[in-house]
Amino acid sequence: MSKKKSAVMPLLYLAQKQNNNWIPLAAIKLIADTLNTTYIKVYEIATFYSMYNLAPVGKYFVQVCTTTPCMIRGSGKIVDTCKKIISKKQGELNQDLNSSWIEVECLGACVNAPMVQINNDYFEDLTDKKAEEIFKGFKEGRLPRFGSQSGRKGSEPTSNRTTLLKNA
Amino acid sequence: MIKVTVDNTEVEVEPGSTVLQACEAAGKEIPRFCYHERLSIAGNCRMCLVEIEKSAKPVASCAMPVVNGQIIKTNTEMVKKAREGVMEFLLINHPLDCPICDQGGECDLQDQAFNYGGGRSRYGLNKRSVKQKYMGPLIKTHMNRCIHCTRCVRFSEEIAGIAEIGTINRGENMEITTFLEKTVESEMSGNVIDLCPVGALTSKPYSYEARPWELNKVETIDVMDAVGSNIRMDSKGWEVKRVLPRINDEINEEWISDKTRYACDGLLNNRIDTPYVKKNGKHHAASWKEAIQFINQNSKNKKEYGGLIGQLVDLETSYAFKELFDKIYNSQLVDFRQKDILFDTTDDFNFKFNTSINKIDDCDFILLIGANPRLEATIVNYRIRKAVNRGCKVFSIGDPGNQNYNYKIIGKNVSILDDLITEKISEFKLLSNAKNPAIIIGESALKSSISKNVISSVKILLKKINKLNGFNILHQSASNVGSLILGLQSSNLKKVYNSDLLFLLNSDEVLIDKKENQFVIYQGTHGGENALLADVILPSASHSEKNGSFVNLEGRVQRTYKASFPPGQAKEDWEIFLSIAKLNNVDLGYSNFDQLRKKMIAEYPLLGDYDKMPKSNCSDLKINDHIRKDFELDINEIDYYQTNIIARSSKTMHDCKNIKKKIKRVEF
């Protein structure tokens, strides 16, 4: 048995990287032919994982976390901002800002909720105003420094430190 | 052996079995959707939950291996509650459309919801809706009903050999589909309909035709190819509505090919229902008396009387036909071959599939000579594929095209056989080291010019490695082996075709080149081209409308049963022969079917040995010398969906042919 098929995920990732962050059908077919498997087998994998984009996305691709911790901390407002500034529906491309957005499940930055991921970077501790500012900056190709947008360092407490004070 | 306790009874099961199998061995019924004996284990429906002592949670029995001393409980409160819970979840997104669902009455979900469900619904929100998927002319989809057991996905990958059905998306959005809703290509695709435990995949031609409890079910044998698959014909009135497989582990396991399953609507179309007599170049409907008298008038004083048997003719009819020619026309010129082909009839061994279909699984070396098993005998090809998955190496002489498994073409010339015998090529080593080699000769390699040479070369080759029982002939039509056993291969095929009186018995595969003074009788079921040029047309019953028996390619005799009745004035063949004989004042020695069968078995005792694989004795086989022959093997192209008159009369088969012509084959 050939083990060629195990390369399917890295190849999909490569295809996505080379094609403006999305995978066209032609790439799926080429990957299937390269790996001696059928189209549906590659298509299955490409549709299963949400990090493979099967339709064009913007140069600034915003993924808004809407899982419970973010939701409690106000991710609904971030989604509203996306709808207002980027596009009415998720997955739609805004030509003007060269960006698009989608809702995703937990990205593992709950301590700094609510947050979005733009391309490879996390932007945390957002408010709707902060988000609006960031999205509007897409036009000039301007992005703030990644990480917390409220000024705190990493995931430190929002007020002063309360623990481990002695050895500080 | 492993000892486990199921509900206080102790059972012994093989190591490596699952808990579900242990429960079945103890006679306990475990509900299941995704588990299927012949497919890999998925464990995703969760319906087979049982309680195992010392396990905190209920366990999916289909995916749990048995351990010595395990104590399994299948009838506790916990199991009942677990089943009810799983069933409730399965039904959340399943529509309540049983009254308009084709699966109704034979639906696993319906039955199990009735037996194991909670009996009421607590779900009041919107159900998920999924678009219908196009899967070709055979499979109708209602994807709202799908419960994602993935049996169809596993079937297409593991059994059919073309992974073309798959699951896309995930979680609640999971859907079953083909790639961009392409037509499924496999010749076994119809089996997913039987596998589907709900009404998500149903039969397109059968949709809204009948309810299962209205159908008259007859267990019989398939004649679309020479495999002799065991089937069940379901009929309503005289219409055969559908064909389903029957389990026979020695032949078709529980799969049948699409042609077997869907050609049945050909039994309803284009049928001859009344005798016709040709006068002044035109066919006129006639009574039986007129037609038979017309035959009698025109069959006097002919030089040669020839008979040609078609590929769907049962043993009894062939035998009666031979007797008719012998007694009335005093002629031995009866043949069944409808193409340029020659069999070696010196011993039964020489024209049978001696490995037997069941034992192909264990082969470790298979050589195909001029055979395209995928299209000639789909079920045999499935077995070969199974052997390949177990490590069998397949080689071919001639290029048969995509077979759904890897094989190596070692040449296209039959002289390669000579190279094998003289050990000139490396494949001989593999052959001589093989424990269970099989050499399969297709009909393309049995053209009269090379037939003798190929057969003797293969025998010499197998004799050399002392594995003579690996000699196989792959027949394409259901009546071949039976006709050969009855000795119906005449010495001169041309003479049969050119005889002054030519009696065509359901033979439609070769277009007769009718001479001016030739008198042609066509007795058969469907109005084909040969019927058109015949002087007399006699309507007869098809294989589904009479009892009979067929010999499959292994030499196994199996009986077919009457599932329906002949249309209009059509009669069973032996009745027609009797009336011809009566007018000639000849006694054929039988007056009903049972007598005919008894007479035949008295003459050929082997044909009364039903459903058994005959033992072939090859120790004292005569083997001729061979001469090296150069012949480029060209495998006859097979129009899979149109190989016989029933398939050609079937609308479904035409659709398949037209649609699949358009598909660009996916190569592996």
Side-chain angles (χ1 to χ4, degrees), chain A residues 5 25 28-29 33 36-41 43-44 47-50, chain B residues 153 157 162-170 177-180 182 668:
Chain A
K5 282 171 207 165
L25 272 181
I28 291 181
K29 287 185 175 176
D33 291 339
N36 281 353
T37 181
T38 48
Y39 297 160
I40 184 75
K41 284 284 147 201
Y43 191 60
E44 272 183 335
T47 53
F48 184 85
Y49 294 101
S50 57
Chain B
V153 178
E157 191 173 346
I162 320 174
E164 47 186 349
I165 304 178
T167 54
I168 58 163
N169 301 330
R170 69 197 284 187
T177 183
T178 52
F179 183 68
L180 307 181
K182 281 204 169 67
F668 285 84

Side-chain angles (χ1 to χ4, degrees), chain A residues 8-25:
Chain A
V8 64
M9 290 189 64
L11 282 188
L12 280 168
Y13 178 72
L14 275 179
Q16 173 157 307
K17 217 174 161 188
Q18 289 168 8
N19 189 54
N20 297 329
N21 207 15
W22 71 284
I23 304 165
L25 272 181

Side-chain angles (χ1 to χ4, degrees), chain B residues 535-605:
Chain B
D535 293 291
V536 188
I537 305 173
L538 303 174
S540 70
S542 73
H543 70 281
S544 63
E545 292 151 4
K546 62 184 174 193
N547 293 341
S549 45
F550 284 87
V551 190
N552 81 345
L553 44 80
E554 308 162 288
R556 196 189 296 263
V557 191
Q558 298 183 104
R559 277 164 291 185
T560 59
Y561 294 94
K562 190 178 165 126
S564 163
F565 43 86
Q569 298 179 47
K571 283 185 189 173
E572 291 186 24
D573 297 275
W574 60 268
E575 285 182 274
I576 303 170
F577 298 154
L578 271 187
S579 44
I580 294 174
K582 203 176 163 195
L583 215 65
N584 285 296
N585 291 323
V586 177
D587 180 23
L588 288 178
Y590 59 89
S591 57
N592 60 35
F593 180 76
D594 289 338
Q595 284 174 3
L596 168 62
R597 184 176 265 175
K598 254 181 213 155
K599 192 166 174 319
M600 178 185 79
I601 292 171
E603 206 170 318
Y604 299 93

Side-chain angles (χ1 to χ4, degrees), chain B residues 236-465:
Chain B
K236 188 178 169 188
W238 88 281
E239 289 180 40
V240 175
K241 288 286 186 192
R242 61 171 179 180
V243 170
L244 295 176
R246 233 174 349 124
I247 296 176
N248 185 334
D249 279 333
E250 294 189 335
I251 302 173
N252 56 321
E253 294 191 340
E254 60 176 285
W255 321 117
I256 51 174
S257 65
D258 284 353
K259 192 159 56 182
T260 304
R261 188 184 295 266
Y262 290 110
C264 60
D265 68 323
L267 291 166
L268 313 175
N269 303 330
N270 198 17
R271 289 298 296 271
I272 307 172
D273 57 359
T274 177
Y276 287 92
V277 170
K278 201 177 207 172
K279 276 176 188 159
N280 305 326
K282 245 184 143 183
H283 282 120
H284 297 277
S287 69
W288 273 108
K289 208 173 164 189
E290 279 173 304
I292 300 228
Q293 250 158 8
F294 188 74
I295 293 174
N296 224 17
Q297 285 158 16
N298 287 286
S299 58
K300 300 262 153 67
N301 306 322
K302 296 274 180 188
K303 257 190 267 163
E304 242 124 41
Y305 296 88
L308 192 60
I309 294 173
Q311 57 157 297
L312 304 173
V313 180
D314 56 307
L315 276 177
E316 284 81 357
T317 306
S318 303
Y319 173 75
F321 191 61
K322 184 187 169 199
E323 288 280 285
L324 181 87
F325 264 73
D326 191 27
K327 289 200 173 146
I328 296 179
Y329 304 128
N330 213 354
S331 159
Q332 311 294 331
L333 267 182
V334 181
D335 210 310
F336 70 97
R337 290 170 293 165
Q338 298 184 67
K339 59 178 146 186
D340 176 31
I341 195 165
L342 183 70
F343 295 99
D344 181 355
T345 50
T346 46
D347 192 295
D348 282 7
F349 178 86
N350 295 329
F351 54 79
K352 278 187 195 158
F353 199 92
N354 295 297
T355 301
S356 89
I357 295 172
N358 198 16
K359 292 211 177 98
I360 300 174
D361 300 3
D362 306 328
C363 286
D364 46 6
F365 178 98
I366 292 174
L367 174 63
L368 305 170
I369 305 174
N372 178 359
R374 178 173 175 184
L375 300 184
E376 289 171 12
T378 312
I379 297 297
V380 171
N381 197 49
Y382 152 64
R383 296 291 193 136
I384 298 176
R385 194 173 173 277
K386 209 168 157 187
V388 171
N389 287 346
R390 291 180 184 184
C392 171
K393 295 267 178 296
V394 182
F395 299 91
S396 173
I397 298 179
D399 180 7
N402 184 2
Q403 297 290 318
N404 296 342
Y405 46 79
N406 288 325
Y407 64 90
K408 191 182 161 198
I409 299 172
I410 53 172
K412 291 187 177 168
N413 200 307
V414 284
S415 60
I416 294 273
L417 281 172
D418 208 77
D419 295 342
L420 270 173
I421 295 168
T422 50
E423 301 176 32
K424 265 187 202 153
I425 51 177
S426 56
E427 276 79 11
F428 179 80
K429 222 171 199 174
L430 279 169
L431 174 63
S432 55
N433 289 338
K435 267 185 198 149
N436 298 308
I439 298 186
I440 299 173
I441 308 171
E443 290 190 1
S444 307
L446 292 171
K447 293 191 178 95
S448 54
S449 52
I450 48 167
S451 172
K452 272 188 186 149
N453 198 270
V454 169
I455 291 174
S456 57
S457 313
V458 169
K459 279 198 284 192
I460 291 168
L461 185 58
L462 285 166
K463 183 88 183 171
K464 199 169 170 181
I465 55 164

Side-chain angles (χ1 to χ4, degrees), chain A residues 28-151:
Chain A
I28 291 181
K29 287 185 175 176
L30 182 71
I31 291 169
D33 291 339
T34 318
L35 302 180
N36 281 353
T37 181
T38 48
Y39 297 160
I40 184 75
K41 284 284 147 201
V42 181
Y43 191 60
E44 272 183 335
I45 292 161
T47 53
F48 184 85
Y49 294 101
S50 57
M51 283 164 86
Y52 293 128
N53 302 313
L54 298 179
V57 294
K59 189 184 164 197
Y60 299 99
F61 180 48
V62 182
Q63 301 175 57
V64 190
C65 170
T66 54
T67 310
T68 324
C70 279
M71 192 186 78
I72 294 167
R73 296 280 292 154
S75 69
K77 280 185 184 166
I78 313 290
V79 169
D80 289 342
T81 316
C82 286
K83 283 181 183 166
K84 199 173 92 190
I85 311 256
I86 301 176
S87 60
K88 270 185 185 162
K89 273 188 195 161
Q90 57 172 323
E92 267 176 12
L93 199 64
N94 184 329
Q95 296 287 0
D96 196 32
L97 294 175
N98 198 1
S99 83
S100 62
W101 70 280
I102 56 165
E103 272 183 44
V104 293
E105 298 307 328
C106 187
L107 291 170
C110 311
V111 184
N112 295 35
M115 58 79 67
V116 298
Q117 184 183 345
I118 302 173
N119 297 344
N120 292 323
D121 295 326
Y122 281 13
F123 295 85
E124 298 151 341
D125 294 330
L126 293 172
T127 57
D128 43 348
K129 264 193 195 139
K130 272 262 155 41
E132 200 174 321
E133 226 178 278
I134 297 173
F135 299 159
K136 279 185 176 161
F138 292 161
K139 204 164 189 179
E140 291 101 59
R142 178 159 47 81
L143 269 179
R145 192 182 146 74
F146 59 82
S148 173
Q149 301 299 310
S150 68

